[in-house]
Amino acid sequence: MARGKLRIYLGAAPGVGKTYAMLSEAHRRIERGTDCMVAFVEHHDRPRTEVMLHGLEQVPRKQLEYRDTTFTEMDVDAVLARRPQVALVDELAHTNIPGSRNAKRWQDVEELLEAGINVVSTVNIQHLESLGDLVESITGVRQKETVPDEVVRRADQIELVDMSPEALRRRMAHGNIYKPDKIDAALSNYFRPGNLTALRELALLWVADRVDEYLQQYRGEHGVSKIWGSRERIVVGLTGGPEGRTLIRRAARLAEKGAGGEVLAVYIARSDGLTSASPKELAVQRTLVEDLGGTFHHVVGDDIPTALLDFARGVNATQIVLGASRRRSWQYMFGPGVSAIVARESGPDLDVHIVTHDEVAKGRGLPIARGARLGRARIIWGWLIGVLGPLLLAFVLTHSDTGPDLTSDVLLFLALTVGAALLGGLLPALASATAGSLLLNWFFTPPVHTWTIADPENIVAIAVFFAVGVSVASVVDLAARRTHQAARLRAEAEILSFLAGSVLRGETSLEALLERVRETFSMDSVALMERESDVAPWTVTASVGGTRPRTRPEDADVDMPVGDHMTLALSGRVLPAEDRRVLAAFAAQAAVVLDRQRLQHQADQAEELAEGNRIRTALLAAVSHDLRTPLAAIKAAVTSLRSDDVDWSEEDQAELLAGIEEGADRLDHLVGNLLDMSRVQTGTVAPLIREIDLDEVVPMALGGIPDPEGTVELDIPETLPMVSVDPGLLERSVANIVENAVKYSPPGEPVLVSASAIADRVEIRVVDRGPGVPDEAKARIFEPFQRYGDAPRGAGVGLGLAVARGFAETMGGTLAAEDTPGGGLTMVLSFPSAAGRPPVSADVSATTMT
């Protein structure tokens, strides 16, 4: 029986409408005659989603008893017995109630697929197993219900259900997702704009990777080796030299010319231990390419042109950017160079750009971090001179009629031995000395053509020749070893300096550190593992590289313990003993970074709890005092009016009713500020921006001020430019600021409200002659539940200025406090002017509004 097909609606966040989209597809399929039924759909009491279930056949749910409570789950047996063509199964990551057929719902779906039933399901991006830690670090919420990535990746179709954070928060505020009593808490916690933006980016990147997998799979199945330019992918070949920054910037400019262009910087390292380029320069270039929106890759390969082309074709690149060679002219006799080979072998579907730079033809110089032993070319030339050189010299000397004497012959053979030692090191020089000694004995030491030496002086000469040759070869080999050791120690010093610098800078990116380990030692994958005890299983805390990172230290090629219950595992090759010293430093740094991350997470949680506790304490104080005060006044007045013992006069009744009205107004004002502060903190304020004159709004803001004519002076010129604001929010902001100024102004000193245009902005200044506020307290007065000094004539919870600043910033303005010359405080409310729009008179505005 053929396996059923799985289609998944992947939600970028809860509430984006994936269940609604799944039900819409079900209706479309039924209209086309497909046998489609609902196996399990959870509408969460959302009216619009619930309506979509009408007209769809639903399988009755299975009831299960657990801890004296009845739960319902999908009845897998009933679905298998019904055998529809398509089954709708919501919430793929759901954990079933104990006693169910399977522990997880995705396992139920696997049974349906194995039975040949097509399944349409839904899941949110935060429920993918591999993203659990990342989602927790973003949102602060650990997802307990997860589904393995492989289950989702095996789906035949994946459709992303996306929505902008602003639209999703509006949907939340309108009550389309949660009930009203949960909206404020959700908007201020999980549904913050930053959280939604990060989840959306995760979903887009995950789906983009899946699209790339589909493309690579299709090309592999159909044998497509030609590059498909679905989008511009530009590979930058780096050598670790100073020209790399120029190449990266050039590639970034090329990528900007096409929509969706991508830059991939790649460094090809030989498979012989530590990297051969400067770690410092590579770190700078890596930071540069990441700042420009690209990615950095480290590839191991001894044949650099082939490795570079394989990488470019593997990522479906369309262009390669290389730097012009730094080699000098005479060095081209050893080969055409990497750039020329890549350009020749790239083929017609891969463009190669050769970029000039300041280091052209200045020489490549010696490798910084590698500084290795004698290279392959020198060793070959050393063997040629050490073996063939003595034979050729003996042939020339034996065929010379007037050849030199034995002393000159020894010096000529010694010159070849020294040359072999300088080029090839110890072994070619030993071979040259041995061959020279035998040839001198056979051809040039009497009696010739015998191994016998008649003259003792000749024996001394040949012995000295052999000893000098061996000594020179030993010195050259020792110098090569010391050079290699010095270069290696220099590379280690640079790496340790990088680690020390990262500690001082407080860098806390564990993944970046593990990636640096992988690149430094040319490994396939690196994982940091830990366990709670000696018998507990290992868990992978963080890993980079590799399609299947190791899950146990025993499975890795290199295991570096860090303490008793933590280890750094590397896979790719076995490291030599001298590399483990640097690896130990990396492992210790990884443990430090992990501890720092956890401490920072705990500190953030403690700070959030402390802030929440402070807000709750302040709110409790407000409710217990400021809100109860007007309620007590209203209660007393009402009780007095209802009393039958006292015959109240009309004047007394009017006074009591006025007290009730005043208390109700105060209570309404306090509750309004509390609600406004909640909207500001949750980010649900949606301003309706339009261009208005200030003299339309500011006078209306004084309606709630007692005796505004005697306590407030207005100076709002009609010639001011218009501003783009929300009139209602601006009115509330000005009202709160003026009320605060009147509260602290001394009797007989009116508050001045003036407006003026400065450059491209319009300022509203509220000036009072009160006690003022010290500079160190100016920022604190805008925080919620903050009251500076005493307010003998006012009552409030310390939210007026916080609400005013929140509304101002929502409209693109600012609110700041300044000292009033001569004493007092001046509040400055500033907004950008509406450029290009002449001011409109009050009469015309009133007519237009009417």
Side-chain angles (χ1 to χ4, degrees):
M1 180 182 297
R3 177 183 170 88
K5 294 190 176 185
L6 175 62
R7 177 184 177 91
I8 293 180
Y9 284 95
L10 179 65
V16 295
K18 59 188 183 301
T19 303
Y20 188 94
M22 178 181 69
L23 295 175
S24 299
E25 180 184 350
H27 283 285
R28 290 193 298 271
R29 294 199 181 200
I30 290 176
E31 291 175 358
R32 295 195 298 265
T34 304
D35 180 17
C36 184
M37 63 170 294
V38 176
F40 188 95
V41 168
E42 183 60 69
H43 54 74
H44 297 290
D45 296 327
R46 297 169 186 169
R48 298 185 179 182
T49 305
E50 188 174 3
V51 168
M52 294 298 294
L53 286 170
H54 295 169
L56 298 178
E57 178 187 354
Q58 301 185 47
V59 175
R61 299 185 181 183
K62 185 177 183 180
Q63 294 187 351
L64 296 172
E65 295 288 338
Y66 181 68
R67 293 183 178 178
D68 299 329
T69 305
T70 302
F71 298 91
T72 60
E73 294 287 0
M74 180 175 66
D75 194 338
V76 180
D77 293 326
V79 178
L80 293 174
R82 170 64 173 77
R83 293 194 60 82
Q85 287 181 277
V86 179
L88 306 183
V89 182
D90 203 5
E91 298 180 356
L92 187 63
H94 172 74
T95 300
N96 294 329
I97 295 298
S100 301
R101 184 188 186 98
N102 295 299
K104 305 288 285 188
R105 185 164 293 164
W106 64 265
Q107 296 171 330
D108 297 336
V109 170
E110 286 293 320
E111 284 198 38
L112 300 182
L113 294 173
E114 291 296 334
I117 300 175
N118 299 326
V119 177
V120 181
S121 187
T122 65
V123 69
N124 282 328
I125 189 66
Q126 70 266 23
H127 292 296
L128 295 182
E129 180 67 41
S130 65
L131 301 178
D133 294 337
L134 184 56
V135 171
E136 183 182 8
S137 66
I138 294 171
T139 65
V141 178
R142 182 67 181 183
Q143 299 295 333
K144 297 181 179 179
E145 295 187 333
T146 58
V147 58
D149 290 45
E150 186 61 27
V151 174
V152 182
R153 289 184 180 275
R154 285 201 307 263
D156 299 276
Q157 297 181 59
I158 299 176
E159 182 170 337
L160 177 64
V161 183
D162 187 24
M163 180 177 291
S164 68
E166 295 79 9
L168 182 56
R169 286 171 61 83
R170 284 197 299 271
R171 175 182 286 186
M172 171 72 72
H174 293 160
N176 295 333
I177 301 176
Y178 292 155
K179 294 182 179 180
D181 59 337
K182 298 181 180 179
I183 292 177
D184 287 344
L187 289 174
S188 60
N189 291 284
Y190 194 88
F191 285 82
R192 293 196 298 265
N195 290 357
L196 298 179
T197 301
L199 292 176
R200 188 186 191 194
E201 182 180 13
L202 283 178
L204 292 172
L205 292 174
W206 196 91
V207 174
D209 289 341
R210 179 59 176 155
V211 172
D212 274 345
E213 290 178 9
Y214 277 133
L215 180 59
Q216 297 297 338
Q217 180 181 354
Y218 180 86
R219 295 178 64 199
E221 292 175 351
H222 293 78
V224 179
S225 58
K226 183 179 180 181
I227 292 176
W228 285 0
S230 54
R231 61 172 172 168
E232 290 293 339
R233 279 193 175 95
I234 303 174
V235 171
V236 185
L238 301 178
T239 64
E243 77 281 0
R245 307 180 198 182
T246 303
L247 304 184
I248 293 171
R249 294 188 179 96
R250 177 60 176 163
R253 292 197 296 271
L254 290 174
E256 291 174 355
K257 296 180 180 179
E262 183 181 359
V263 176
L264 300 92
V266 57
Y267 170 71
I268 311 294
R270 299 187 185 274
S271 57
D272 57 356
L274 292 175
T275 177
S276 61
S278 168
K280 180 179 179 181
E281 182 62 30
L282 279 179
V284 172
Q285 294 176 12
R286 177 176 191 149
T287 302
L288 176 61
V289 71
E290 291 175 349
D291 289 343
L292 294 175
T295 57
F296 185 90
H297 303 268
H298 193 107
V299 177
V300 178
D302 292 326
D303 190 343
I304 294 179
T306 301
L308 182 60
L309 289 171
D310 289 343
F311 175 82
R313 293 191 174 99
V315 298
N316 200 29
T318 57
Q319 302 179 53
I320 295 180
V321 175
L322 298 174
S325 179
R326 287 183 285 147
R327 297 190 300 174
R328 302 185 186 277
S329 301
W330 61 269
Q331 291 178 309
Y332 282 97
M333 62 181 295
F334 299 106
V338 173
S339 301
I341 296 175
V342 171
R344 184 183 63 201
E345 302 293 336
S346 62
D349 53 352
L350 190 58
D351 298 333
V352 179
H353 301 266
I354 308 296
V355 179
T356 58
H357 49 84
D358 296 336
E359 303 297 324
V360 174
K362 291 184 178 180
R364 290 180 294 181
L366 295 175
I368 295 176
R370 192 174 165 212
R373 306 172 190 268
L374 300 176
R376 181 183 302 176
R378 289 184 59 181
I379 293 176
I380 293 175
W381 279 104
W383 279 104
L384 291 176
I385 294 176
V387 176
L388 299 180
L391 296 176
L392 182 60
L393 179 60
F395 177 80
V396 172
L397 294 177
T398 54
H399 290 77
S400 175
D401 296 335
T402 57
D405 56 10
L406 180 60
T407 303
S408 300
D409 295 340
V410 169
L411 293 176
L412 290 175
F413 278 98
L414 181 60
L416 288 177
T417 301
V418 172
L422 293 175
L423 288 176
L426 181 61
L427 294 180
L430 291 177
S432 177
T434 302
S437 301
L438 295 176
L439 292 173
L440 283 171
N441 186 5
W442 184 265
F443 289 105
F444 305 105
T445 304
V448 296
H449 302 302
T450 65
W451 297 114
T452 303
I453 301 176
D455 190 349
E457 293 183 356
N458 293 338
I459 297 177
V460 174
I462 293 177
V464 171
F465 159 75
F466 186 83
V468 171
V470 172
S471 300
V472 172
S474 300
V475 170
V476 172
D477 184 71
L478 180 61
R481 291 176 184 273
R482 292 292 183 264
T483 301
H484 172 73
Q485 293 174 356
R488 183 179 187 85
L489 291 175
R490 181 177 178 180
E492 291 182 2
E494 289 183 352
I495 293 172
L496 295 176
S497 175
F498 162 78
L499 291 176
S502 65
V503 173
L504 296 176
R505 292 188 298 269
E507 297 178 357
T508 56
S509 176
L510 184 58
E511 288 73 16
L513 180 64
L514 296 184
E515 181 66 23
R516 182 61 184 269
V517 175
R518 189 181 70 84
E519 294 174 359
T520 300
F521 297 101
S522 301
M523 288 293 182
D524 295 334
S525 65
V526 178
L528 183 63
M529 306 177 187
E530 62 177 343
R531 59 182 178 180
E532 297 180 355
S533 63
D534 294 336
V535 296
W538 289 96
T539 59
V540 178
T541 303
S543 64
V544 295
T547 56
R548 292 184 178 180
R550 302 295 189 267
T551 57
R552 298 188 308 166
E554 296 81 6
D555 300 333
D557 295 315
V558 181
D559 174 21
M560 176 57 66
V562 189
D564 296 332
H565 301 135
M566 185 179 296
T567 185
L568 191 64
L570 293 80
S571 300
R573 64 187 180 90
V574 178
L575 287 181
E578 58 265 25
D579 284 351
R580 295 184 66 88
R581 178 175 55 184
V582 178
L583 181 59
F586 271 114
Q589 176 67 3
V592 171
V593 170
L594 180 60
D595 289 340
R596 184 183 296 141
Q597 285 183 344
R598 290 173 174 172
L599 290 174
Q600 183 62 43
H601 180 65
Q602 294 175 0
D604 294 340
Q605 288 182 330
E607 185 177 355
E608 291 179 1
L609 292 174
E611 178 65 18
N613 185 61
R614 188 185 69 82
I615 295 294
R616 283 191 295 271
T617 302
L619 182 59
L620 180 61
V623 173
S624 62
H625 180 268
D626 296 286
L627 294 183
R628 293 184 63 183
T629 300
L631 284 175
I634 295 173
K635 173 69 174 176
V638 171
T639 302
S640 299
L641 289 174
R642 289 173 57 90
S643 175
D644 297 331
D645 299 335
V646 181
D647 186 12
W648 300 103
S649 64
E650 293 183 359
E651 293 80 4
D652 293 336
Q653 290 181 4
E655 183 177 354
L656 290 173
L657 290 174
I660 293 174
E661 184 179 10
E662 180 183 356
D665 290 340
R666 288 172 57 190
L667 187 61
D668 177 70
H669 181 70
L670 293 173
V671 173
N673 273 341
L674 286 172
L675 294 177
D676 289 340
M677 195 66 242
S678 175
R679 294 170 59 199
V680 169
Q681 288 186 334
T682 57
T684 57
V685 180
L688 301 176
I689 304 298
R690 65 183 181 88
E691 297 178 356
I692 63 167
D693 285 318
L694 289 181
D695 57 0
E696 298 180 24
V697 178
V698 175
M700 299 174 60
L702 306 181
I705 306 299
D707 188 20
E709 296 183 359
T711 57
V712 180
E713 294 182 0
L714 278 180
D715 182 15
I716 310 295
E718 296 182 359
T719 58
L720 287 175
M722 303 178 73
V723 291
S724 297
V725 294
D726 184 316
L729 298 183
L730 178 59
E731 181 182 339
R732 293 295 304 276
S733 298
V734 174
N736 284 352
I737 297 171
V738 173
E739 180 186 358
N740 185 77
V742 171
K743 182 188 308 180
Y744 288 96
S745 292
E749 292 287 347
V751 173
L752 174 62
V753 181
S754 63
S756 60
I758 300 178
D760 59 345
R761 301 186 69 84
V762 176
E763 290 185 352
I764 303 173
R765 307 179 74 86
V766 180
V767 183
D768 67 61
R769 295 293 181 179
V773 176
D775 292 338
E776 62 271 14
K778 284 186 171 64
R780 193 169 65 250
I781 62 176
F782 294 104
E783 296 179 2
F785 303 106
Q786 294 293 323
R787 299 176 61 185
Y788 180 76
D790 297 327
R793 291 187 292 147
V797 293
L799 290 176
L801 295 182
V803 170
R805 170 174 275 190
F807 284 172
E809 293 177 348
T810 301
M811 296 182 288
T814 59
L815 177 60
E818 299 178 357
D819 291 329
T820 302
L825 189 67
T826 298
M827 292 290 178
V828 182
L829 192 60
S830 176
F831 295 97
S833 59
R837 295 295 304 274
V840 183
S841 65
D843 294 338
V844 175
S845 300
T847 303
T848 304
M849 292 298 294
T850 303

